[in-house]
Each structure stands twice: as structure tokens, then as C-alpha cells.
Amino acid sequence: MALISTLRKRMGKIVVGFVAFSMFAFILTDFLNSNSTLIGGNDRDLAEIAGNTISYESFNERVNQLAATFAVNYGRNPSSDDLTNIRKEAWNALIIENAYQKELDKLGIKVTDAEMVDMVQGNNISPQIKQFFTDPNTGEFSRDVVISTLQNLGSADPRQRQSWNTFEASLAPNRAIQKYDNLFEKTDYVTQAEAKSLYIAQNSNMTVDYFYVPFFSVADSLFEVSNSEMESYLSANADNYEREESRNLQYVVFQVEPSAEDTAFVIDEINALKDGLAQAQNDSVYVSINSDSANPFQSITDPSAIPGALMIDGKVAEVGTISEPVLGVNTYTVMKLSAITEGDEYFVKARHILIKPAGTTDADKAAAKTKAQGILNRLKRGADFTALAAENSEDRSNANNGGDLGWFGENGNFVQEFKDAAFAKRGTGLLSAPVETSFGYHIIRIDEPKTNTVYKVASIEKELFASDATQNEIYRQADILAAETGDASELKAKAEELGLTVRNASNLSPNDTRVGTITNGRQIVSWAYNKAETGSISEVFEIESTYVVAGLTSVQEKGTAKLSQVSGEIRTKVLNQKKADYIISKVNELDAEDVSGMKDAYGEGARSGSADLTLSSNSFPNVGFAPEAVGVAFSLEEGEKTAPFKLDNGVILLSATAKSTPEDLDNYDAYLSQVSSSRASRKAVIANFPLSFYPVMVSQRLDNAVKEYADIEDKRYKFY
């Protein structure tokens, strides 16, 4: 359906909501502007992108614009989750306008007026235009409808014109970015030399004898690793330990659940309502007034859907029967069979075995029919339907369930020939002949005869809930934990005294929303970045049906990681270097020529053997991931031998015994394709609704490069 037609139909329904949302956005913006201390103090800078400073006010203005676009197109105000996505798209808009546009301007990439006309009503229609002006019934796009819509736009409602203008304004920047992405994609040229290099790597072979000593074979206790040695290693290898800003914390979750007293209250209430339901003059009205469920009075046509509480010895209970309270998921329910009547539609319960023809010829159909008739004959002689369905039926959605189709109605979505045959059967049992449909041949068995009986079931559902007193008590427990825990280092011990579990959340970024198992933990992240210091204990957070107390255990500023955060890894690196020196020194003292003799002379822990290698492999037999060992091996000539050298997981010595390289090819096209495919980057979505009306994607590597060179400083965490 055309965008304008869609908007015209929706517009009358959403004017009030749109005005309400606009007022809300205006009031909220005014409140935030007058209460700056609540959202970051006097610092109103939200970001810096490509040298441009972005204020909170300008960002919030963009958020409001996109929220208004959302409201117009969806006919409702955005929810909290919607607003989170809208803020993400507002941020994407800033990246495009400040980082991408800077690169587009450098290269002179533009979208002309002529291109815009071509995109909307010319020969190269934008996918967005096609999306809105394609008939959903025929799947056909009509340029005439587009032109007609634009001609009538001047007389359209102002809000419709504004919606179109917003939509049209997104076309040009999206096309410019696509040009930019295509520019890099089309210039990614693979040379013959690169293709030949891959060919050689995949087809070169090397055989070496090796002597290998893994680090784990040497006891850690032989060496000492000091803090100064670890500090020196970290300083020398700082580039390998660069970290983004992050926070680590521990947290305790207090589940808000109904107490025994709360449950007893609901049970008393449901029993009282049960007595009332027994005496009710109008069951439908009574349950509608007293039930917490959305659909308390049902007409059930499928006998298998009748609640078990209203079945006695496998049969439907008598009219007027009321069940005992049934415990569900956080609910208690009582049900009454109010009436049994006749409906307009018949239902039947059946199962089938489907045999499909192998092709479309008459011979194929005849063969399928013969097979179906043979299966039917076996069933008539007493064969098991379930077994034959599992073995033969080509309807795999139910073949392993004995071909069971359950109950279905005359107006159901089965093909008509199938329904006609099933509902023509009186009683139960096999149909006398296979039934032909567009799917093939069906062997049908009726398990329950057709019926138009309707069962009226009245239900009263009461939700188990935590009372105010229960919530207050749970909050008090959380508040006591927060008040009596002086430091984050004490949180684990204090919580365990109360029988509570302490969870960890590591490497939280400034804009994260998830905290460990808490999916909506944005307020905890905001506290960790804006208020907390290392060791701080939070106030009690109320998140959905829980209370949470958190403790900030460590802070990682942007830059080199602290030794305390990577001490385990650094200690292993230093220790392995000491082990490597020890092993190499010991190997150099061995009086043996071949690797087998070296293994015997070295003693326990050493390995030796022969390995066949390819240059494209990164693994070394009996050693593991060791690309450096493979590379060194191929640098040798036959008969050459290396000194012992260090790997990530041990020390190795190599002796080349055979080497072969492939002959040149006349054509390397197959390898050109392999190199090109390996370079292909997956796409990143850099804009989506409501910023764009369909996803705008570029190469992931290109997006990373643009953002890296834009030198982005993101301070959104101070405000949201």
C-alpha cells in the first residue's frame, strides 16, 4: 500500500496521540533543561564526533523528531523500548551527519536533483519507494500510482505532507552512503599475484621432523614471578592490553514474590468466588466482573481443548460442574461448564498418511496412487497406522506423530478435497479409498466423529501477587543489605549471611543496558558511571519484579589495563617465558642429532615425530595452533635444522626432510574468487526506522574505519 494512503487511513486515529506525544516531549524537554543537575550537571556535551561537539539539547531535539515520525507511522506513542531504539537511531543520525558526511564531502559524493526524480518516479526506483507502492495482492509496483500520489500531495493533510517530506528527505543521504560503500566495494581488486600466492599456500607441502616440549610439562614451582616483572611485561606490551572504558560490579537480586500469606489470601478469594459462580444467574457477566484474565468466557468447539479440570474419567463433566481451584503460572483458576450447545460449524479429529507423486506425469501420479492403495490395504488388514505413517508419510510435520492432525473445522485451512472427504465420513475409521489433492494422495482415518457441539466454559482467574506488606518487607531486606555493607568487597560475605547469591557483571560499557542476568539494567550502569566510585555500594534499584543492590568492584578507564585486571594472563606470559628460557637452555646442552635421540636425552615431557604440513594451515600435529611453526618450517630447505624456539604453548625444534611446491598454472581465476570471497566483509546496519524507512547497510570494515577516524567521544551515559 502507498505510504500516503497508509498515512491517510491512519491519520484520523492518531491526531490525538500525536498531539499528546508532542506535549509530553515538550514538557519533558523543558523539565530536563531546568534540572540539569539530574542529568550530568553543567556539562551539556553529549558527544564529540569528527571534531564537532554535540550538545544534549540538539540530540534530544533529534530524538523528539524521530519519536514524532514513529508516532505518525505507527499510530501510537513509542514505548520505553521503542524510545531506546529511537535514541539509537538519533545517535546513528549524528554519526552519518558528522562522520560519514565529512568523508562524502571529501570525495565529492552527492545526489543530484535529477537522481532524486529518477529514484522516485524514473527508471531506477528506490527500494524504499517500491516498498510503499507495491500492491500486496499482486506484488506489482506501479509508477503511475507514485506519480498520482505526488500530484495529489498538495491537497493532502499537512501531516501527510510532513510524513512524505520526512520520508523523501531520507532518500538522498541513503543513496549517497550506498555510493560510498559501492566505491570501496568495487575498488577491492585482487591481483594475479595474490591469487597465485593463495594457490601456492594451499598446494605447497612440507615434511619435518620435530622435537617439542610443552610448557605444562614443566612445573610452575620451579620459577618465581614478581610484580615488578609483570609490570615490566605489561609496560613493554601495552598495545596488546588496550581497553575501552568499562566497569565491573557485583550485584544481589531480591525477587519480589508472593508470601505464604499472600497465597492464602488469593486462595480464600478464589474459593469465595467459586461459591458465587455456583449461584450466578449469568455466568458470562459474573466471570467478566471477577476474573483477572482477558477472555473469561469461552466457546470451545475442539473437544481436546476442554480443560482437564472439567473432564471426569476421560469424559466431559455435566453442565454446571465447577472445578476446584487450579494452580497455574502465578495464578489460581476455577472453571465452570456453563452450557453445551450446537454451533454452526462441524469439527472432526483425523490423521493421515500423505504419498506425493515423484513428478508431474500421469505415470508418476499412478505410481503414487498405487503405493497409497497398498498402504491402505495393509491398514485394512490390521497394520499399525502410527508405524506406517512414520515410515511412509511425506507430511513430515506430523509423520512421527502417527499422522495426527488433531481437531479441525469445516472452515479450517485444509484443502477442500481433503475436508469434503473427511466430513463425508460417518462415524470413525479408515476412508475406503485414498483421497487425491494438490499435495498428493492421502490415506485418512477418522479418530473422532464429526460434531458441532460447543462447550461454554466460564473461568475466574486470580493472579498471585505480592502484597504491599510483602514488597515493603523485601525492600527493607535489600535496604538493610545496602546500608550495612560498607564496601563492595564486603557484599559477597554480607549477602551469603542472608542466604543470597552474589552475581558478577564484567566489562560493562557506558551505554550497556544489560547487567549480567538483568536485561533492563540501564539505571545500574548509569549509577556505575555517574555516581559510583570503586568500592561504592548502590541504593536499592527497583527493576521490574526485583530489587537489586550493586557494588562497584573496579573501574577500567580507557587505555592500558591495570595489572590487577590482567594479572593472571600476564603472570602466565612471564612464567612461560621463564619456562622457554629453561627448556631452550636444556635442549642446547643435549648431545643428540636426530629428534628421537633428543627426546630420549631430554626425558619426561618431550615429544618427537614427523609432520606433514601445508602452508595454508595454522595448526601443527601434536602441538596445536602454531602458525609461526608452520611459517618457519616453510622457510627451511631440505636438510636444514632450526635452533629451538618459543611458541605460545611450548618450545619446538624443526628439521626439514622434504619440501614440494606446485607448478605454475596458466589460469588462477578460481583462486581470484577465493581471495575476493575471503575479503568480503559482512554488512553493518548504520540506519533504520524511524531514521530511515528501510535498513541502510555498509561494509562492517568501512563502518569501523569511519568511526575510528571520527575519533568519537560518547557521553550518552551521562544523560540516559
Side-chain angles (χ1 to χ4, degrees), residues 355-417:
I355 304 300
K356 294 181 179 180
T360 58
T361 66
D362 291 341
D364 292 328
K365 291 182 179 180
K369 184 176 182 180
T370 300
K371 180 179 179 180
Q373 185 62 55
I375 293 171
L376 179 59
N377 292 340
R378 292 173 63 187
L379 291 170
K380 289 179 178 179
R381 293 194 296 268
D384 183 67
F385 197 102
T386 299
L388 290 183
E391 179 182 348
N392 296 283
S393 182
E394 294 180 75
D395 182 355
R396 302 314 301 175
S397 65
N398 53 53
N400 292 328
N401 193 31
D404 191 7
L405 300 169
W407 288 87
F408 57 91
E410 291 174 301
N411 299 324
N413 59 0
F414 286 59
V415 290
Q416 195 61 47
E417 299 91 338

Side-chain angles (χ1 to χ4, degrees), residues 292-574:
D292 292 339
S293 66
N295 187 21
F297 195 78
Q298 296 178 291
S299 296
I300 299 175
T301 53
D302 179 353
S304 66
I306 298 173
L310 295 178
M311 302 289 289
I312 299 175
D313 296 330
K315 296 182 179 180
V316 180
E318 295 181 357
V319 172
T321 299
I322 299 178
S323 73
E324 293 298 320
V326 177
L327 178 62
V329 179
N330 296 321
T331 62
Y332 271 102
T333 306
V334 294
M335 290 162 279
K336 178 181 180 180
L337 184 59
S338 295
I340 299 177
T341 62
E342 291 185 353
D344 296 329
E345 183 180 6
Y346 276 89
F347 286 78
V348 69
K349 184 179 183 183
R351 60 183 66 224
H352 80 142
I353 297 172
L354 172 63
I355 304 300
K356 294 181 179 180
T360 58
T361 66
D362 291 341
D364 292 328
K365 291 182 179 180
K369 184 176 182 180
T370 300
K371 180 179 179 180
Q373 185 62 55
I375 293 171
L376 179 59
N377 292 340
R378 292 173 63 187
L379 291 170
K380 289 179 178 179
R381 293 194 296 268
D384 183 67
F385 197 102
T386 299
L388 290 183
E391 179 182 348
N392 296 283
S393 182
E394 294 180 75
D395 182 355
R396 302 314 301 175
S397 65
N398 53 53
N400 292 328
N401 193 31
D404 191 7
L405 300 169
W407 288 87
F408 57 91
E410 291 174 301
N411 299 324
N413 59 0
F414 286 59
V415 290
Q416 195 61 47
E417 299 91 338
F418 189 98
K419 291 190 293 185
D420 288 345
F423 284 99
K425 174 73 174 177
R426 292 187 178 183
T428 61
L430 290 166
L431 270 63
S432 59
V435 175
E436 182 181 3
T437 73
S438 57
F439 293 99
Y441 292 91
H442 305 259
I443 300 102
I444 302 173
R445 190 181 84 184
I446 305 301
D447 287 346
E448 296 288 346
K450 65 180 181 181
T451 176
N452 64 343
T453 302
V454 177
Y455 303 88
K456 304 286 187 179
V457 176
S459 303
I460 299 177
E461 180 180 281
K462 283 298 175 183
E463 183 179 354
L464 287 169
F465 64 95
S467 64
D468 289 345
T470 298
Q471 293 184 56
N472 291 339
E473 174 57 25
I474 297 172
Y475 181 89
R476 187 183 71 84
Q477 294 172 13
D479 196 38
I480 290 174
L481 177 64
E484 294 186 352
T485 305
D487 186 88
S489 61
E490 302 175 10
L491 183 60
K492 184 178 177 72
K494 291 283 187 182
E496 288 178 349
E497 288 176 7
L498 300 173
L500 299 168
T501 300
V502 176
R503 297 178 172 90
N504 295 309
S506 303
N507 300 320
L508 295 174
S509 298
N511 295 308
D512 281 349
T513 57
R514 186 183 184 93
V515 176
T517 59
I518 302 171
T519 56
N520 189 20
R522 182 63 206 156
Q523 55 183 309
I524 300 177
V525 177
S526 180
W527 165 80
Y529 273 90
N530 294 321
K531 298 180 181 179
E533 298 177 351
T534 302
S536 294
I537 296 294
S538 73
E539 69 271 21
V540 178
F541 297 109
E542 184 176 356
I543 302 176
E544 296 173 349
S545 59
T546 65
Y547 296 118
V548 181
V549 176
L552 186 63
T553 55
S554 64
V555 172
Q556 171 64 59
E557 302 296 349
K558 186 174 182 178
T560 305
K562 298 176 182 178
L563 179 59
S564 60
Q565 295 171 312
V566 292
S567 59
E569 181 182 348
I570 297 294
R571 184 180 186 280
T572 299
K573 294 287 188 181
V574 175

Side-chain angles (χ1 to χ4, degrees), residues 165-180:
N165 291 337
T166 301
F167 166 70
E168 191 175 41
S170 71
L171 296 177
N174 292 353
R175 175 60 66 88
I177 289 171
Q178 288 172 356
K179 288 183 178 182
Y180 185 49

